[in-house]
Amino acid sequence: MKPSAFEYASPATLEEAVSLLHAGNGNAKIISGGQSLMPMMAFRLAVPEFLVDLKHIPDLNIIRIADDGVHLGARVRWCDIAGDARLLTAHPLLAEAVTHVAHYQIRNRGTVGGSLAHADPSAEMPGVALTCDALLTIIGSSGTRIEKASAFFTGPLQTTLEADEILTELHLPAWPAARRWAFKEFARRKGDFAMAGVALFYDLDGNGRAENAHIGAIGVSDCPIRLGAAEAALNGNVVDDNTIAAVAAAARAEIDPPSDIHAPAAYRRALVGTLLARGLTQSAG
Amino acid sequence: MQIEFELNGATVGTSVEARTSLADCLRDNLGKTGTHLGCEHGVCGACTVLVNGEAVRACLMLAVQANGDKVVTVEGLSSDNLSPLQASFRKHHALQCGFCTPGFITTAHALLTAEPDADEERIRDVLSGNLCRCTGYVPIIEAVLDARKFYAVQKEKA
């Protein structure tokens, strides 16, 4: 339960941090809140030789709300999001999803960037980023790149981040005030990892029909996924009991969830349908 | 590595390996054994301490990350007498074996300092990150609810 030995540095600039990662030659890792990495190191699932702490790098802890949406610095913590009342209107789906992340003490340390880079298949933040077509700013030795969330997550705990790259910002596109949305997840104990969860939003056209449907699921695949068939079943329809049943059925049919000690596949499949139906009912109310 | 931080109001310095957790540093280097280590991977909450006033798990933070911070352990919450929260735990029989108690006390202290009007649902939500293997949760909730009045008075004074 003790991590293996490593060296540690807390550089003052991103450039310095990138060069330390680069020099680590694949054996250096970023630490910030450490709420995912520290357990990984305690179990020796992660055995880095060098840790680069983002603690002293300025401006990464800023929540910026602009015309083009919400910008979250990588070091923004769950308690920062929960404590920022502007987000209740600027991005209510984010604000709601974050209430499900972990427990009180972990929420005081855990960060947006850490959750995205860790890429747990049942974590909330990757699910929200994918569902909302988020853009990720990534800085590395070869410069800065902007990655779509849809391309970023490649597998369980796997992303396109290179060994010498640092995720610095998450950009969630602007949120129209009239948008309909819901976030639902189920865990045996609040704050624990979800057995499954859904994030959804859509807009209403002039005739009260759903358009621009975005539906994402967590805990049912190697990484967060979009539910394309469920979105197609929602688009163009009035959100009534028939539509909700059709969307839930489409979601159940298109997912292929895993079985594990927490829940068999059939349970997760049913759970996604149930959560989606509850979310859609709430969103339409 | 040489580090320095404020511990229970006094500046302390010590030398740690980079891999030393804040919890191990507090216990082994600085003798503050009130911080208990249960799971050592962020599940049980027994090692909760306050860093810059916020409740955090000391097993999920490196000691070197606390360099320059203000750390308060359960020893820092009272002097010769029990704090009102600790007295409330005793009054309500909110501890049995006592292993989890420092984590519950530090967590509840952080909560009530910031939110002295926290209701039972909020208290249950916050304390869900702490495990009591004696399963004495009901008296713990009662003790925290009963201690709110002291924190409300303190907040008013401040």
Side-chain angles (χ1 to χ4, degrees):
Chain A
M1 302 309 288
K2 308 288 184 193
S4 57
F6 52 78
E7 290 182 68
Y8 169 92
S10 52
T13 66
L14 271 175
E15 294 69 26
E16 208 183 325
V18 167
S19 74
L20 285 168
L21 286 178
H22 191 69
N25 204 18
N27 296 312
K29 274 190 90 70
I30 290 288
I31 189 167
S32 181
Q35 302 300 287
S36 299
L37 184 57
M38 288 288 285
M40 296 274 287
M41 292 195 301
F43 285 121
R44 303 210 175 185
L45 295 170
V47 191
E49 293 174 5
F50 202 107
L51 284 189
V52 181
D53 195 345
L54 300 183
K55 178 177 178 175
H56 292 117
I57 296 178
D59 301 336
L60 292 182
N61 58 346
I62 290 173
I63 299 174
R64 188 163 61 85
I65 298 172
D67 289 344
D68 67 348
V70 174
H71 299 257
L72 301 174
R75 283 207 296 122
V76 168
R77 304 169 301 167
W78 310 121
C79 63
D80 298 326
I81 293 174
D84 193 329
R86 298 174 303 165
L87 291 171
L88 293 172
T89 47
H91 210 292
L93 176 60
L94 169 72
E96 170 67 20
V98 163
T99 66
H100 295 271
V101 179
H103 297 281
Y104 185 63
Q105 299 96 329
I106 289 176
R107 297 161 58 78
N108 285 335
R109 294 275 302 160
T111 66
V112 168
S115 176
L116 293 168
H118 184 59
D120 189 290
S122 52
E124 292 82 2
M125 197 70 236
V128 169
L130 179 76
T131 303
C132 296
D133 295 324
L135 297 172
L136 292 79
T137 304
I138 294 164
I139 292 179
S141 309
S142 48
T144 301
R145 66 187 174 96
I146 307 288
E147 178 93 289
K148 289 179 177 175
S150 56
F152 181 71
F153 303 105
T154 56
L157 312 187
Q158 288 170 355
T159 69
T160 62
L161 272 179
E162 296 290 340
D164 63 352
E165 287 186 320
I166 303 173
L167 174 60
T168 57
E169 185 182 280
L170 174 73
H171 172 203
L172 296 164
W175 187 271
R179 180 165 279 175
R180 303 301 180 103
W181 62 275
F183 184 93
K184 297 284 176 190
E185 71 169 48
F186 183 75
R188 282 221 174 84
R189 189 175 61 136
K190 189 165 183 292
D192 286 356
F193 277 116
M195 292 179 191
V198 296
L200 69 94
F201 71 82
Y202 54 91
D203 300 315
L204 293 178
D205 68 13
N207 299 315
R209 297 172 195 278
E211 62 180 8
N212 190 32
H214 284 60
I215 302 177
I218 58 173
V220 299
S221 187
D222 285 348
C223 42
I225 53 170
R226 286 279 290 274
L227 304 181
E231 291 173 354
L234 180 55
N235 276 327
N237 291 306
V238 172
V239 184
D240 56 17
D241 288 349
N242 287 337
T243 300
I244 291 171
V247 173
R252 284 195 300 267
E254 72 179 297
I255 61 173
D256 182 21
S259 288
D260 60 25
I261 191 172
H262 302 295
Y267 180 81
R268 282 199 165 88
R269 189 184 299 280
L271 184 57
V272 165
T274 301
L275 293 172
L276 201 42
R278 287 179 187 170
L280 284 167
T281 302
Q282 182 184 310
S283 73
Chain B
M1 301 179 73
Q2 192 63 31
I3 57 171
E4 193 177 285
F5 57 90
E6 187 184 308
L7 176 59
N8 300 334
T11 301
V12 294
T14 186
S15 178
V16 292
E17 277 190 75
R19 65 170 165 166
T20 308
S21 72
L22 177 59
D24 280 338
C25 173
L26 291 170
R27 289 177 58 83
D28 300 341
N29 294 49
L30 301 167
K32 297 299 182 208
T33 52
T35 299
H36 290 174
L37 271 165
C39 71
E40 292 190 83
H41 64 280
V43 173
C44 76
C47 67
T48 303
V49 299
L50 310 182
V51 174
N52 301 330
E54 294 172 331
V56 306
R57 299 194 194 289
C59 74
L60 291 191
M61 183 169 176
L62 298 169
V64 288
Q65 291 187 292
N67 195 23
D69 288 347
K70 289 183 179 173
V71 179
V72 175
T73 65
V74 69
E75 289 95 337
L77 297 182
S78 59
S79 47
D80 290 341
N81 297 315
L82 295 180
S83 74
L85 179 61
Q86 288 168 327
S88 188
F89 266 60
R90 183 161 79 175
K91 174 183 165 191
H92 290 274
H93 303 288
L95 59 154
Q96 293 174 63
C97 85
F99 188 87
C100 69
T101 310
F104 274 100
I105 295 273
T106 47
T107 306
H109 175 79
L111 170 66
L112 294 185
T113 301
E115 305 170 38
D117 55 350
D119 62 10
E120 181 173 341
E121 188 186 346
R122 173 67 175 153
I123 292 168
R124 284 182 177 276
D125 182 25
V126 167
L127 294 183
S128 68
N130 292 65
L131 299 181
C132 166
R133 294 319 313 268
C134 305
T135 69
Y137 294 105
V138 170
I140 291 172
I141 304 295
E142 288 169 350
V144 176
L145 281 167
D146 197 17
R148 290 182 301 179
K149 51 183 181 277
F150 297 101
Y151 287 87
V153 170
Q154 271 178 348
K155 192 162 189 179
E156 221 160 83
K157 279 184 194 164

mmCIF file of all heavy atoms in Angstrom, chain A residues 196-224:
data_model
loop_
_atom_site.group_PDB
_atom_site.id
_atom_site.type_symbol
_atom_site.label_atom_id
_atom_site.label_comp_id
_atom_site.label_asym_id
_atom_site.label_seq_id
_atom_site.Cartn_x
_atom_site.Cartn_y
_atom_site.Cartn_z
ATOM 1 N N ALA A 196 -23.728 2.602 -13.846
ATOM 2 C CA ALA A 196 -23.993 3.187 -15.159
ATOM 3 C C ALA A 196 -24.558 4.578 -14.938
ATOM 4 O O ALA A 196 -25.058 4.892 -13.850
ATOM 5 C CB ALA A 196 -24.984 2.346 -15.961
ATOM 6 N N GLY A 197 -24.452 5.415 -15.964
ATOM 7 C CA GLY A 197 -25.005 6.757 -15.879
ATOM 8 C C GLY A 197 -25.287 7.293 -17.269
ATOM 9 O O GLY A 197 -24.738 6.792 -18.263
ATOM 10 N N VAL A 198 -26.166 8.288 -17.364
ATOM 11 C CA VAL A 198 -26.450 8.912 -18.657
ATOM 12 C C VAL A 198 -26.427 10.429 -18.511
ATOM 13 O O VAL A 198 -26.831 10.970 -17.478
ATOM 14 C CB VAL A 198 -27.817 8.481 -19.236
ATOM 15 C CG1 VAL A 198 -27.825 6.983 -19.526
ATOM 16 C CG2 VAL A 198 -28.960 8.844 -18.314
ATOM 17 N N ALA A 199 -25.917 11.088 -19.539
ATOM 18 C CA ALA A 199 -25.978 12.546 -19.649
ATOM 19 C C ALA A 199 -26.725 12.833 -20.939
ATOM 20 O O ALA A 199 -26.488 12.160 -21.957
ATOM 21 C CB ALA A 199 -24.578 13.142 -19.701
ATOM 22 N N LEU A 200 -27.635 13.767 -20.916
ATOM 23 C CA LEU A 200 -28.378 14.047 -22.149
ATOM 24 C C LEU A 200 -28.765 15.515 -22.229
ATOM 25 O O LEU A 200 -28.942 16.186 -21.210
ATOM 26 C CB LEU A 200 -29.639 13.172 -22.233
ATOM 27 C CG LEU A 200 -30.771 13.473 -21.245
ATOM 28 C CD1 LEU A 200 -31.804 14.430 -21.857
ATOM 29 C CD2 LEU A 200 -31.452 12.176 -20.828
ATOM 30 N N PHE A 201 -28.841 16.010 -23.456
ATOM 31 C CA PHE A 201 -29.488 17.313 -23.686
ATOM 32 C C PHE A 201 -30.056 17.347 -25.095
ATOM 33 O O PHE A 201 -29.689 16.550 -25.958
ATOM 34 C CB PHE A 201 -28.536 18.482 -23.433
ATOM 35 C CG PHE A 201 -27.433 18.665 -24.442
ATOM 36 C CD1 PHE A 201 -27.662 19.329 -25.643
ATOM 37 C CD2 PHE A 201 -26.147 18.197 -24.180
ATOM 38 C CE1 PHE A 201 -26.628 19.516 -26.562
ATOM 39 C CE2 PHE A 201 -25.117 18.377 -25.093
ATOM 40 C CZ PHE A 201 -25.358 19.039 -26.288
ATOM 41 N N TYR A 202 -31.023 18.246 -25.304
ATOM 42 C CA TYR A 202 -31.585 18.484 -26.629
ATOM 43 C C TYR A 202 -32.207 19.868 -26.619
ATOM 44 O O TYR A 202 -32.451 20.445 -25.548
ATOM 45 C CB TYR A 202 -32.635 17.416 -26.997
ATOM 46 C CG TYR A 202 -33.736 17.260 -25.980
ATOM 47 C CD1 TYR A 202 -34.911 18.000 -26.062
ATOM 48 C CD2 TYR A 202 -33.597 16.374 -24.905
ATOM 49 C CE1 TYR A 202 -35.915 17.861 -25.119
ATOM 50 C CE2 TYR A 202 -34.595 16.235 -23.955
ATOM 51 C CZ TYR A 202 -35.750 16.987 -24.063
ATOM 52 O OH TYR A 202 -36.734 16.866 -23.103
ATOM 53 N N ASP A 203 -32.431 20.413 -27.808
ATOM 54 C CA ASP A 203 -33.137 21.683 -27.932
ATOM 55 C C ASP A 203 -34.520 21.397 -28.509
ATOM 56 O O ASP A 203 -34.767 20.326 -29.062
ATOM 57 C CB ASP A 203 -32.342 22.639 -28.826
ATOM 58 C CG ASP A 203 -30.945 22.919 -28.253
ATOM 59 O OD1 ASP A 203 -30.845 23.160 -27.036
ATOM 60 O OD2 ASP A 203 -29.968 22.855 -29.023
ATOM 61 N N LEU A 204 -35.440 22.362 -28.377
ATOM 62 C CA LEU A 204 -36.779 22.192 -28.941
ATOM 63 C C LEU A 204 -36.924 23.093 -30.159
ATOM 64 O O LEU A 204 -36.546 24.269 -30.123
ATOM 65 C CB LEU A 204 -37.844 22.544 -27.901
ATOM 66 C CG LEU A 204 -37.941 21.607 -26.690
ATOM 67 C CD1 LEU A 204 -39.005 22.095 -25.712
ATOM 68 C CD2 LEU A 204 -38.233 20.169 -27.115
ATOM 69 N N ASP A 205 -37.470 22.548 -31.243
ATOM 70 C CA ASP A 205 -37.711 23.385 -32.427
ATOM 71 C C ASP A 205 -39.030 24.150 -32.239
ATOM 72 O O ASP A 205 -39.678 24.051 -31.198
ATOM 73 C CB ASP A 205 -37.692 22.537 -33.703
ATOM 74 C CG ASP A 205 -38.871 21.574 -33.799
ATOM 75 O OD1 ASP A 205 -39.843 21.727 -33.017
ATOM 76 O OD2 ASP A 205 -38.822 20.669 -34.662
ATOM 77 N N GLY A 206 -39.437 24.919 -33.251
ATOM 78 C CA GLY A 206 -40.622 25.767 -33.129
ATOM 79 C C GLY A 206 -41.901 24.983 -32.859
ATOM 80 O O GLY A 206 -42.893 25.530 -32.369
ATOM 81 N N ASN A 207 -41.898 23.695 -33.182
ATOM 82 C CA ASN A 207 -43.080 22.870 -32.970
ATOM 83 C C ASN A 207 -42.992 22.009 -31.708
ATOM 84 O O ASN A 207 -43.766 21.065 -31.542
ATOM 85 C CB ASN A 207 -43.296 21.952 -34.183
ATOM 86 C CG ASN A 207 -43.522 22.774 -35.454
ATOM 87 O OD1 ASN A 207 -44.285 23.738 -35.424
ATOM 88 N ND2 ASN A 207 -42.835 22.410 -36.526
ATOM 89 N N GLY A 208 -42.021 22.316 -30.866
ATOM 90 C CA GLY A 208 -41.906 21.574 -29.609
ATOM 91 C C GLY A 208 -41.309 20.188 -29.775
ATOM 92 O O GLY A 208 -41.483 19.323 -28.908
ATOM 93 N N ARG A 209 -40.626 19.970 -30.908
ATOM 94 C CA ARG A 209 -39.983 18.662 -31.116
ATOM 95 C C ARG A 209 -38.493 18.757 -30.784
ATOM 96 O O ARG A 209 -37.865 19.788 -30.998
ATOM 97 C CB ARG A 209 -40.159 18.211 -32.574
ATOM 98 C CG ARG A 209 -41.607 17.996 -32.940
ATOM 99 C CD ARG A 209 -41.741 17.747 -34.440
ATOM 100 N NE ARG A 209 -43.136 17.899 -34.860
ATOM 101 C CZ ARG A 209 -44.046 16.938 -34.730
ATOM 102 N NH1 ARG A 209 -43.705 15.775 -34.230
ATOM 103 N NH2 ARG A 209 -45.300 17.139 -35.105
ATOM 104 N N ALA A 210 -37.953 17.642 -30.317
ATOM 105 C CA ALA A 210 -36.542 17.622 -29.923
ATOM 106 C C ALA A 210 -35.644 17.670 -31.153
ATOM 107 O O ALA A 210 -35.935 17.040 -32.183
ATOM 108 C CB ALA A 210 -36.251 16.362 -29.112
ATOM 109 N N GLU A 211 -34.585 18.438 -31.055
ATOM 110 C CA GLU A 211 -33.553 18.435 -32.094
ATOM 111 C C GLU A 211 -32.198 18.557 -31.417
ATOM 112 O O GLU A 211 -32.105 18.870 -30.233
ATOM 113 C CB GLU A 211 -33.767 19.591 -33.084
ATOM 114 C CG GLU A 211 -33.683 20.966 -32.435
ATOM 115 C CD GLU A 211 -33.902 22.106 -33.437
ATOM 116 O OE1 GLU A 211 -34.272 21.817 -34.583
ATOM 117 O OE2 GLU A 211 -33.700 23.258 -33.041
ATOM 118 N N ASN A 212 -31.155 18.286 -32.183
ATOM 119 C CA ASN A 212 -29.787 18.387 -31.639
ATOM 120 C C ASN A 212 -29.600 17.487 -30.419
ATOM 121 O O ASN A 212 -28.945 17.854 -29.449
ATOM 122 C CB ASN A 212 -29.488 19.859 -31.293
ATOM 123 C CG ASN A 212 -28.028 20.099 -30.961
ATOM 124 O OD1 ASN A 212 -27.152 19.422 -31.499
ATOM 125 N ND2 ASN A 212 -27.768 21.026 -30.064
ATOM 126 N N ALA A 213 -30.196 16.303 -30.457
ATOM 127 C CA ALA A 213 -30.119 15.409 -29.291
ATOM 128 C C ALA A 213 -28.693 14.897 -29.088
ATOM 129 O O ALA A 213 -28.030 14.465 -30.038
ATOM 130 C CB ALA A 213 -31.061 14.227 -29.481
ATOM 131 N N HIS A 214 -28.240 14.998 -27.846
ATOM 132 C CA HIS A 214 -26.940 14.453 -27.442
ATOM 133 C C HIS A 214 -27.182 13.545 -26.245
ATOM 134 O O HIS A 214 -27.686 14.011 -25.210
ATOM 135 C CB HIS A 214 -25.971 15.568 -27.040
ATOM 136 C CG HIS A 214 -25.384 16.322 -28.184
ATOM 137 N ND1 HIS A 214 -26.162 17.010 -29.087
ATOM 138 C CD2 HIS A 214 -24.097 16.497 -28.583
ATOM 139 C CE1 HIS A 214 -25.358 17.584 -29.994
ATOM 140 N NE2 HIS A 214 -24.102 17.277 -29.709
ATOM 141 N N ILE A 215 -26.846 12.276 -26.378
ATOM 142 C CA ILE A 215 -27.020 11.332 -25.266
ATOM 143 C C ILE A 215 -25.722 10.553 -25.094
ATOM 144 O O ILE A 215 -25.228 9.943 -26.045
ATOM 145 C CB ILE A 215 -28.186 10.358 -25.527
ATOM 146 C CG1 ILE A 215 -29.494 11.144 -25.753
ATOM 147 C CG2 ILE A 215 -28.334 9.389 -24.350
ATOM 148 C CD1 ILE A 215 -30.684 10.258 -26.101
ATOM 149 N N GLY A 216 -25.179 10.609 -23.884
ATOM 150 C CA GLY A 216 -23.947 9.874 -23.578
ATOM 151 C C GLY A 216 -24.172 8.928 -22.415
ATOM 152 O O GLY A 216 -25.076 9.140 -21.601
ATOM 153 N N ALA A 217 -23.353 7.876 -22.350
ATOM 154 C CA ALA A 217 -23.469 6.918 -21.246
ATOM 155 C C ALA A 217 -22.088 6.641 -20.666
ATOM 156 O O ALA A 217 -21.083 6.610 -21.382
ATOM 157 C CB ALA A 217 -24.115 5.624 -21.728
ATOM 158 N N ILE A 218 -22.050 6.432 -19.331
ATOM 159 C CA ILE A 218 -20.801 6.049 -18.653
ATOM 160 C C ILE A 218 -21.004 4.701 -17.962
ATOM 161 O O ILE A 218 -22.127 4.300 -17.659
ATOM 162 C CB ILE A 218 -20.358 7.112 -17.624
ATOM 163 C CG1 ILE A 218 -21.446 7.355 -16.573
ATOM 164 C CG2 ILE A 218 -19.972 8.401 -18.313
ATOM 165 C CD1 ILE A 218 -21.022 8.275 -15.437
ATOM 166 N N GLY A 219 -19.909 4.000 -17.773
ATOM 167 C CA GLY A 219 -19.955 2.736 -17.041
ATOM 168 C C GLY A 219 -20.455 1.554 -17.850
ATOM 169 O O GLY A 219 -20.696 0.485 -17.291
ATOM 170 N N VAL A 220 -20.632 1.721 -19.149
ATOM 171 C CA VAL A 220 -21.185 0.628 -19.955
ATOM 172 C C VAL A 220 -20.256 0.190 -21.075
ATOM 173 O O VAL A 220 -20.625 -0.663 -21.890
ATOM 174 C CB VAL A 220 -22.563 1.001 -20.554
ATOM 175 C CG1 VAL A 220 -23.557 1.276 -19.438
ATOM 176 C CG2 VAL A 220 -22.468 2.191 -21.490
ATOM 177 N N SER A 221 -19.054 0.786 -21.136
ATOM 178 C CA SER A 221 -18.132 0.419 -22.209
ATOM 179 C C SER A 221 -16.707 0.721 -21.759
ATOM 180 O O SER A 221 -16.477 1.104 -20.616
ATOM 181 C CB SER A 221 -18.482 1.200 -23.486
ATOM 182 O OG SER A 221 -17.705 0.743 -24.573
ATOM 183 N N ASP A 222 -15.743 0.565 -22.663
ATOM 184 C CA ASP A 222 -14.341 0.821 -22.331
ATOM 185 C C ASP A 222 -14.076 2.287 -22.019
ATOM 186 O O ASP A 222 -13.093 2.627 -21.381
ATOM 187 C CB ASP A 222 -13.435 0.408 -23.501
ATOM 188 C CG ASP A 222 -13.310 -1.100 -23.576
ATOM 189 O OD1 ASP A 222 -13.731 -1.771 -22.618
ATOM 190 O OD2 ASP A 222 -12.799 -1.593 -24.592
ATOM 191 N N CYS A 223 -14.904 3.147 -22.577
ATOM 192 C CA CYS A 223 -14.804 4.581 -22.315
ATOM 193 C C CYS A 223 -16.214 5.156 -22.443
ATOM 194 O O CYS A 223 -17.136 4.429 -22.821
ATOM 195 C CB CYS A 223 -13.790 5.241 -23.255
ATOM 196 S SG CYS A 223 -13.853 4.714 -24.947
ATOM 197 N N PRO A 224 -16.388 6.428 -22.101
ATOM 198 C CA PRO A 224 -17.734 6.991 -22.280
ATOM 199 C C PRO A 224 -18.150 6.893 -23.749
ATOM 200 O O PRO A 224 -17.307 7.001 -24.638
ATOM 201 C CB PRO A 224 -17.580 8.452 -21.834
ATOM 202 C CG PRO A 224 -16.118 8.724 -21.886
ATOM 203 C CD PRO A 224 -15.442 7.432 -21.607
#
